Amino acid sequence: MKTKDMILIAMFAALTAVGAYIRIPVPVCPFTLQFLFTTLAGLILGGKKGALAVAVYVLLGLIGLPVFTGGGGIGYVLQPTFGYLLGFIAGACATGTIVRRGSLTMPRLLTGCFAGLLIVYAMGMAYYWAISRFWLGQPIGLVPLFVYCFLLAVPGDICLCILSALLGKKLIPVTGLSYHPVS
C-alpha cells in the first residue's frame, strides 16, 4: 500500500470520528455526520480502501478510544446501534465498488450512495432488533423498529447521499487518486 493511501485511510477514519461528534439538532432522532464521511470514504478511496478506513475507525473505538457517538470500548458491541457502525463498513465498500464499475456520472454516484445507505440501515436495524430481543430482553416490534430506526432518521441521510454524490463528483477527479472504472 502506498503512503498516500495510508494517509487518506487514516484521514477518513479521523473524519468519521469527528463526524460522530458533529450533531445536527433535529427532533426525536440524533443526527451526526458519520454517514457523510463513511460514504465519501467509499466514493473517493474505492470500495476496499474506503471500507478499510471505516474499519480502522470502528477498531479504534472498540479498543477504547472515545470515537463513537456514545464513547468507545469493546462493550459497544452490545449497544443496539453498533450494527450501524458495521453497516458503515459494508456501505463504504458497496458505494466505492458501485462507483468504480463505470464512468463517473451523477446517476452512478447517487446509485452508489443510496446502495450504501440501504446497507447501513439494513444492518443497523437487524442488529438493533437482535440485540434488543436477545441481549437486552426488550423485544422491539417491526413497526416501532421501522419508525424509530429508519423513518425518523433516513431523511437527513438522504440529504447526505446527495451531498456526498455532489462532493464526490468534484473531489474524485482532483484527489490525484487513480480512477479506473471496472467494466
Side-chain angles (χ1 to χ4, degrees), residues 8-21:
L8 287 170
I9 287 166
M11 181 186 77
F12 275 103
L15 284 171
T16 304
V18 169
Y21 288 96

Side-chain angles (χ1 to χ4, degrees), residues 17-40:
V18 169
Y21 288 96
I22 299 174
R23 295 183 184 164
I24 299 169
V26 293
V28 183
C29 185
F31 182 71
T32 69
L33 294 184
Q34 287 170 295
F35 178 69
L36 173 68
F37 294 120
T38 60
T39 302
L40 284 173

Side-chain angles (χ1 to χ4, degrees), residues 107-178:
R108 180 167 301 283
L109 289 163
L110 287 168
T111 299
C113 291
F114 282 112
L117 178 70
L118 289 175
I119 290 169
V120 168
Y121 275 92
M123 290 180 71
M125 291 171 63
Y127 198 91
Y128 195 102
W129 180 86
I131 288 292
S132 294
R133 180 175 184 88
F134 299 114
W135 177 252
L136 299 176
Q138 300 171 347
I140 184 170
L142 293 180
V143 171
L145 179 73
F146 179 76
V147 170
Y148 292 112
C149 296
F150 179 79
L151 203 55
L152 294 174
V154 79
D157 287 335
I158 289 171
C159 294
L160 291 181
C161 279
I162 295 166
L163 178 60
S164 296
L166 291 169
L167 288 171
K169 182 77 170 163
K170 296 290 183 184
L171 293 174
I172 291 169
V174 299
T175 58
L177 299 173
S178 59

Side-chain angles (χ1 to χ4, degrees), residues 39 42-43 45-48 90-119 172 179-183:
T39 302
L43 286 174
L45 301 178
K48 291 178 186 174
C93 183
T95 298
T97 301
I98 289 168
V99 168
R100 294 297 197 265
R101 294 227 185 256
S103 59
L104 192 60
T105 64
M106 227 26 208
R108 180 167 301 283
L109 289 163
L110 287 168
T111 299
C113 291
F114 282 112
L117 178 70
L118 289 175
I119 290 169
I172 291 169
Y179 179 82
H180 303 291
V182 181
S183 301

